[in-house]
Amino acid sequence: MSIEQFIANEVKSNDVVLFMKGTPQFPQCGFSGQVVQILDHVGVGYKGLNVLESAELRNGIKEYSNWPTIPQLYVKGEFIGGCDIIREMFQAGELQQLFADKGVTLNAAASA
């Protein structure tokens, strides 16, 4: 399986995927940490993929999305954006609306 196939499979088979530096439990960059905090606060379940474990994944996701930075958030197969976009959408209430519009279930109590 090529890295493009791997990424496409992850994005299509999980409602919410975050390509990040580190893990949701231990983010290893401030931007990834901010997106994790937002997703946890909103209460959405997501899969975090650590790009630091694989240079192939780190470079592959940038090519896949044509977006130069990490983290990258995908919802229902659609690339949403990086940290700044996610933070702005959250502050405006647009992120929560996006999850509702896409049919992504939010938990009443977010887990930290």
Side-chain angles (χ1 to χ4, degrees):
M1 180 183 295
S2 73
I3 193 65
E4 292 82 14
Q5 289 171 318
F6 172 79
I7 292 168
N9 184 57
E10 290 295 327
V11 166
K12 290 174 185 152
S13 61
N14 296 285
D15 284 351
V16 183
V17 182
L18 179 62
F19 291 86
M20 62 181 293
K21 293 180 179 176
T23 65
Q25 295 77 23
F26 297 104
Q28 293 183 5
C29 95
F31 299 115
S32 291
Q34 285 181 42
V35 175
V36 164
Q37 284 183 327
I38 290 168
L39 295 177
D40 287 348
H41 180 79
V42 170
V44 67
Y46 63 96
K47 180 169 187 178
L49 292 169
N50 184 359
V51 301
L52 297 178
E53 292 178 345
S54 162
E56 189 180 24
L57 179 59
R58 186 167 54 252
N59 295 323
I61 191 59
K62 292 175 184 179
E63 290 177 21
Y64 183 85
S65 62
N66 198 25
W67 190 261
T69 59
I70 295 177
Q72 294 185 15
L73 183 68
Y74 287 79
V75 177
K76 296 276 189 164
E78 178 186 350
F79 174 58
I80 305 304
C83 181
D84 291 346
I85 292 170
I86 299 306
R87 187 175 53 239
E88 290 169 15
M89 289 178 71
F90 169 70
Q91 290 170 342
E94 295 169 2
L95 186 63
Q96 299 87 321
Q97 189 60 51
L98 173 81
F99 290 133
D101 292 347
K102 295 272 189 181
V104 175
T105 304
L106 303 180
N107 301 326
S111 58

